[in-house]
């Protein structure tokens, strides 16, 4: 019979059975003061009566036991009916009511406590599972799985917008929604900045077994670029507590994702920095520390790297029984690949000069091009290279130019002119087209082999320094020693492009016959 | 920078517009790559009429695209170079590596000759 009692009445029964001795004391007090019976009822069912073995006499007094305004039972006394007794019974019923109310509150609190504890444990679990997770896919997968567990849903997903606007989505257990609806949901929550609850039972999605969807925005670095979705709440609909829980998970997911994004960013930055530093070290370490002493020649070189490393290089090759060889080059492209190719080009030029029986500039360039053509093609770069040789005995300059500029020859008598390339840059064609050219230099003639960092130096008005200015400056400086010419050129370029960033390396060799 | 492609029968004409430099080169490179991949014998004309500036990365991009085409027995030819751009091709002697035509029509005629 008890099973038919309402939950509140059942609770009253539990209170009575738990406080049996107290009720017994109350009953005995009534019996002692002349009552023939005392009984407790819940919704017209007898819970307990005293004396225990006798029939229950018709009640003379009744007092209701109330819970939140509704009557859930009553106390009955037979054999006494005075107004004082009635007042006593009412106050006793009042006490039982309070007892029932407290019991109910306690039960509610216990239930909430257990819920909270469960959630705390689950959240702890979620935190542990996603801690130190540095793989985006794995993190999203873990989050999706835990979301479904915590939210008691049949499915879930985590989605995140990538830099290229594509969506990174992880489902648990299977994909149930297409990307289109996800994209439109994300757009909606980006506008409303709050969660979206969709009832899908009347839509085409119901055919795929979808009932309801709770879509919760996730903020990453202040912007809604991700979301979590809970699909098909087990046994029913999503209510306020589900939303609340989902928000907490979303917040946690947001912080984990943000952490990961920041980590990746700083990792990328560090990688770039490390690469730039390495490239710069490669480049700087390969440049000759000082110019060699060659009788009859005044030589000076300089290289001013741009903030991001380019691929400029220069080298002096002074070997026994070989003509004195010098080279200036510029590898297209930047960073580590350019620095490595530059190192390779420099090494190959050195080796060819050393091992070839008659390593004229043309031969050096041709051999070097054949050797490195595939490597240049592999990384889609090329290098402009000038190779010169000078015989101090007769001041004969032999040079070959693979697409390199600017190279300026400034004779002591006459106007400076460009020594233009006849072959294209190294790495462009399988065979080199550069040929040897000879100039007999007179005492006081100047050769400036620079890189395009000079001619393409830009001023704040967006003008290039250009070849005409360069020719004029070289003419003016040509009376000075090589070192002063180098310094003078750097100074002129610095003044011209003051206030404008140096975009490219500026490298040069100045050679003067004395 | 803008890139437009027009198929003229067996020939693919690529129109570039703007500054062709290290910033725009990667994008141009990937589009050129897919163009040369799609065709068995890629015959490209790059019309540089609206290109005002090229840097060394841009040149490297064109060189690479040209190499890809030639590997498949095709070619990449240039047309309508503006004076500053033509100068850069001449200084680096890339005019000896590329077949360069004054106009697109001339490039088309040369292909079909």
């Amino acid at each position: 019979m008890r099973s038919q009692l309402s939950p509140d009445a059942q609770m009253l029964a539990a209170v009575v059975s738990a406080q049996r001795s107290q009720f017994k004391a109350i009953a005995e007090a009534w019996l002692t003061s002349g009552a023939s019976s005392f009984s407790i009822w819940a919704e017209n069912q007898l819970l307990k009566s005293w004396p225990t073995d006798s029939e229950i006499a018709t009640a003379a007094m009744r007092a209701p036991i109330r819970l939140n305004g509704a009557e859930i039972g009553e106390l009955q006394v037979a054999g006494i009916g005075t107004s004082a007794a009635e007042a006593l019974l009412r106050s006793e019923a009042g006490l039982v009511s309070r007892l029932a109310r407290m019991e109910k509150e306690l039960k509610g609190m216990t239930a909430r406590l257990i819920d909270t504890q469960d959630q705390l444990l689950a959240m702890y679990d979620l935190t542990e599972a996603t801690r130190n997770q540095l793989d985006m896919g794995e993190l999203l997968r873990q989050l999706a799985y835990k979301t479904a567990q915590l939210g008691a849903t049949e499915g879930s997903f985590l989605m995140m917008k990538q830099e290229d606007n594509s969506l990174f989505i992880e489902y648990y257990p299977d994909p149930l929604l297409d990307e289109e609806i996800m994209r439109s949901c994300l757009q909606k929550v980006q506008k409303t900045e709050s969660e979206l609850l969709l009832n899908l039972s009347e839509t085409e999605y119901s055919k795929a077994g979808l009932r309801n969807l709770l879509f919760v925005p996730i903020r990453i670095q202040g912007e809604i670029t991700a979301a979590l979705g809970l699909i098909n709440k087990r046994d029913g609909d999503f209510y306020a507590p589900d939303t609340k829980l989902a928000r907490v998970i979303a917040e946690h997911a947001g912080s984990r994702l943000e952490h990961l994004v920041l980590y990746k960013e700083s990792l990328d930055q560090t990688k770039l920095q490390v690469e730039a530093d390495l490239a710069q070290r490669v480049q700087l370490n390969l440049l000759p520390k000082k110019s060699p002493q060659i009788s009859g020649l005044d030589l000076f070189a300089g290289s001013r790297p741009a903030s991001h490393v380019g691929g400029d290089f220069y080298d002096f090759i002074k070997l026994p029984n070989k003509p004195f060889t010098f080279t200036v080059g510029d590898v297209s492209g930047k960073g580590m690949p350019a620095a490595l190719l530059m190192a390779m080009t420099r090494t190959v030029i050195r080796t060819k000069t050393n091992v070839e029986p008659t390593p004229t500039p043309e031969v050096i360039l041709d051999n070097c091009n054949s050797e490195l053509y595939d490597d240049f093609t592999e990384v889609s770069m090329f290098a402009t290279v000038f190779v010169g040789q000078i015989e101090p005995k007769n001041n004969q300059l032999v040079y070959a130019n693979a697409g390199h500029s600017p190279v300026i020859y400034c004779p002591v008598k006459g106007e400076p002119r460009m020594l233009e390339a006849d072959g294209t840059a190294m790495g462009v064609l399988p065979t080199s087209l550069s040929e040897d050219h000879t100039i007999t230099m007179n005492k006081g003639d100047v050769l400036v082999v620079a890189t395009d960092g000079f001619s393409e130096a830009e001023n704040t008005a967006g003008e290039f320094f250009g070849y005409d200015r360069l020719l004029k400056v070289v003419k003016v400086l040509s009376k000075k020693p090589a070192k002063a010419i180098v310094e003078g050129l750097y100074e002129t370029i610095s003044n011209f492009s003051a206030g404008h960033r140096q975009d490219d390396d500026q490298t040069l060799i100045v050679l003067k016959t004395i | 920078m803008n890139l437009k492609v027009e198929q003229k029968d067996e020939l693919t004409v690529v129109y570039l517009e703007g500054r062709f430099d290290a910033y725009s080169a990667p994008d141009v490179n990937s589009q050129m790559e897919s163009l040369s991949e799609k065709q068995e014998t890629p015959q490209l004309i790059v019309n540089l009429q609206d290109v005002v500036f090229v840097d060394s990365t841009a040149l490297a991009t064109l060189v690479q695209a040209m190499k890809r085409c030639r590997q498949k027995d095709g070619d990449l030819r240039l047309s309508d170079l503006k004076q500053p751009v033509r100068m850069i091709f001449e200084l680096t002697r890339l005019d000896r590596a590329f077949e360069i035509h004054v106009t697109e029509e001339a490039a088309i005629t040369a292909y079909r000759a």
Side-chain angles (χ1 to χ4, degrees):
Chain A
M1 294 291 277
R2 285 252 168 108
S3 60
Q4 291 172 354
L5 289 176
S6 72
D8 284 352
Q10 279 179 34
M11 201 185 51
L12 178 61
V15 169
V16 170
S17 118
Q19 310 287 336
R20 205 177 308 120
S21 56
Q22 273 73 12
F23 281 102
K24 192 179 170 203
I26 294 169
E28 276 166 1
W30 281 107
L31 296 177
T32 316
S33 57
S36 57
S37 75
F38 172 80
S39 53
I40 307 169
W41 300 73
E43 291 175 351
N44 301 324
Q45 281 185 36
L46 179 65
L47 291 178
K48 198 90 185 151
S49 68
W50 291 269
T52 41
D53 304 327
S54 65
E55 284 281 301
I56 304 164
T58 309
M61 302 188 295
R62 295 157 188 264
I65 300 167
R66 291 195 168 89
L67 186 60
N68 298 331
E71 211 175 298
I72 57 164
E74 61 181 13
L75 298 181
Q76 291 184 11
V77 169
I80 307 183
T82 64
S83 59
E86 233 171 89
L88 181 63
L89 189 66
R90 268 203 304 278
S91 81
E92 280 173 1
L95 281 173
V96 176
S97 298
R98 282 186 62 184
L99 205 58
R101 200 177 73 223
M102 282 162 75
E103 180 70 19
K104 186 177 169 129
E105 279 173 7
L106 192 64
K107 261 189 145 169
M109 278 163 69
T110 311
R112 280 202 295 278
L113 197 65
I114 290 169
D115 275 357
T116 313
Q117 207 169 20
D118 283 353
Q119 280 183 9
L120 271 175
L121 274 174
M123 280 305 291
Y124 176 76
D125 201 26
L126 173 67
T127 318
E128 278 302 296
T130 55
R131 184 197 300 278
N132 301 328
Q133 183 52 258
L134 294 175
D135 178 83
M136 182 67 77
E138 190 52 36
L139 176 62
L140 292 178
R141 242 188 320 280
Q142 290 272 10
L143 286 168
Y145 170 61
K146 292 288 174 188
T147 300
Q149 263 196 334
L150 274 168
T153 60
E154 288 170 15
S156 64
F157 60 84
L158 252 290
M159 57 171 278
M160 187 172 167
K161 212 158 93 175
Q162 303 290 101
E163 264 173 38
D164 62 357
N165 221 14
S166 66
L167 293 181
F168 197 142
I169 309 171
E170 285 292 343
Y171 303 88
Y172 175 82
D174 303 303
L176 282 169
L177 289 168
D178 54 61
E179 221 181 286
E180 232 17 68
I181 183 168
M182 291 202 184
R183 224 173 249 284
S184 87
C185 283
L186 185 65
Q187 276 167 1
K188 266 184 209 152
V189 300
Q190 276 171 336
K191 270 191 209 124
T192 61
E193 301 196 354
S194 84
E195 52 284 326
L196 182 69
L197 184 57
L198 293 179
N199 187 347
L200 301 169
S201 49
E202 304 280 305
T203 68
E204 53 179 310
Y205 292 103
S206 67
K207 283 183 218 122
L210 270 83
R211 286 186 284 112
N212 44 31
L213 166 69
L214 179 58
F215 193 89
V216 189
I218 296 176
R219 275 180 196 278
I220 296 167
Q221 292 176 305
E223 275 184 62
I224 297 171
T225 50
L228 71 82
L230 292 95
I231 302 168
N232 289 358
K233 171 83 182 168
R234 284 190 199 285
D235 326 311
D237 295 319
F238 290 107
Y239 293 108
D242 301 311
T243 314
K244 223 163 158 182
L245 175 66
R247 262 188 229 145
V248 175
I249 301 173
E251 212 160 289
H252 172 77
S255 86
R256 296 309 311 162
L257 289 170
E258 187 164 310
H259 177 79
L260 192 57
V261 168
L262 288 175
Y263 171 79
K264 289 252 188 289
E265 275 173 9
S266 85
L267 191 68
D268 288 348
Q269 204 107 44
T270 312
K271 269 189 196 155
L272 278 180
Q273 193 54 48
V274 167
E275 194 199 281
D277 289 351
L278 271 175
Q280 187 144 32
R281 270 168 59 192
V282 169
Q283 190 179 14
L284 292 178
N285 281 328
L286 288 178
L287 296 179
K289 299 287 175 289
K290 58 178 190 190
S291 311
Q293 296 290 322
I294 311 283
S295 69
L297 284 183
D298 178 16
L299 263 178
F300 204 80
S303 185
R304 198 157 69 173
S307 51
H308 47 277
V309 182
D312 278 13
F313 66 93
Y314 70 88
D315 200 11
F316 299 115
I317 307 159
K318 192 184 167 191
L319 297 164
N321 306 320
K322 300 276 162 141
F324 168 63
T325 304
F326 58 96
T327 177
V328 174
D330 181 0
V331 177
S332 72
K334 311 215 178 301
M336 206 56 197
L340 287 177
L341 262 187
M342 173 216 128
M344 283 160 74
T345 309
R346 177 187 173 274
T347 308
V348 175
I349 290 174
R350 270 192 170 260
T351 316
K352 296 297 172 196
T353 310
N354 197 8
V355 300
E356 285 292 323
T358 46
T360 71
E362 179 183 324
V363 172
I364 294 171
L365 281 179
D366 191 28
N367 281 327
C368 194
N369 186 67
S370 310
E371 185 133 349
L372 292 176
Y373 177 77
D374 289 343
D375 293 312
F376 275 110
T377 304
E378 185 69 33
V379 293
S380 62
M381 289 183 179
F382 58 73
T384 66
V385 185
F386 178 94
V387 176
Q389 285 174 345
I390 198 145
E391 188 52 68
K393 269 177 267 166
N394 54 11
N395 279 345
Q396 283 239 318
L397 167 72
V398 183
Y399 72 89
N401 187 346
H404 191 83
S405 71
V407 183
I408 296 168
Y409 172 59
C410 184
V412 97
K413 291 173 195 153
E415 289 304 303
R417 63 185 169 92
M418 306 274 298
L419 300 186
E420 285 172 9
D422 54 354
T424 189
M426 197 177 281
V428 175
L429 295 172
T431 25
S432 165
L433 299 173
S434 308
E435 292 174 9
D436 281 334
H437 300 267
T438 308
I439 291 177
T440 305
M441 287 178 79
N442 293 308
K443 211 171 163 185
D445 286 2
V446 173
L447 179 73
V448 178
V449 189
T451 55
D452 57 6
F454 281 91
S455 44
E456 284 172 18
E458 217 172 322
N459 67 9
T460 46
E463 286 176 294
F464 290 129
F465 191 74
Y467 295 115
D468 292 343
R469 285 198 190 91
L470 205 53
L471 287 167
K472 275 183 199 144
V473 178
V474 169
K475 168 93 175 159
V476 172
L477 292 168
S478 63
K479 303 281 174 293
K480 301 188 175 191
K483 183 168 187 250
I485 297 174
V486 169
E487 285 165 354
L489 277 166
Y490 275 129
E491 200 188 325
T492 311
I493 288 295
S494 296
N495 289 339
F496 175 78
S497 54
H500 193 281
R501 189 172 56 117
Q502 185 192 335
D503 285 325
D504 202 355
D505 298 353
Q506 292 162 350
T507 301
L508 83 171
I509 286 180
V510 172
L511 183 148
K512 189 169 183 174
T513 38
I514 49 174
Chain B
M1 107 168 299
N2 287 326
L3 186 147
K4 216 173 67 195
V5 182
E6 255 179 56
Q7 194 65 36
K8 301 195 171 174
D9 298 325
E10 80 286 12
L11 303 177
T12 310
V13 186
V14 180
Y15 299 89
L16 296 175
E17 186 192 333
R19 266 179 85 93
F20 189 6
D21 55 19
Y23 297 100
S24 50
D27 193 35
V28 176
N29 185 45
S30 61
Q31 297 202 54
M32 297 280 236
E33 189 171 7
S34 68
L35 279 179
S36 59
E37 262 171 20
K38 259 189 268 170
Q39 303 177 39
E40 210 164 305
T41 312
Q43 293 186 308
L44 270 62
I45 297 168
V46 177
N47 186 326
L48 293 171
Q49 186 180 335
D50 296 315
V51 172
V52 288
F53 175 84
V54 288
D55 74 354
S56 60
T57 314
L59 295 177
T61 304
L62 287 173
V63 167
Q64 196 193 10
M66 176 264 281
K67 284 181 182 174
R68 274 196 296 257
C69 292
R70 288 188 186 167
Q71 259 165 21
K72 299 174 79 175
D73 293 323
D75 200 7
L76 182 155
R77 299 177 185 178
L78 306 171
S79 81
D80 301 81
L81 277 68
K82 272 190 160 37
Q83 183 53 28
V85 175
R86 169 176 292 280
M87 242 182 75
I88 290 170
F89 274 87
E90 283 168 2
L91 278 167
T92 53
R93 294 323 302 257
L94 282 171
D95 56 347
R96 295 189 72 177
F98 286 96
E99 199 175 306
I100 300 178
H101 295 273
V102 180
T103 60
E104 188 188 312
E105 289 69 37
I108 293 174
T109 314
Y111 260 125
R112 290 180 180 161

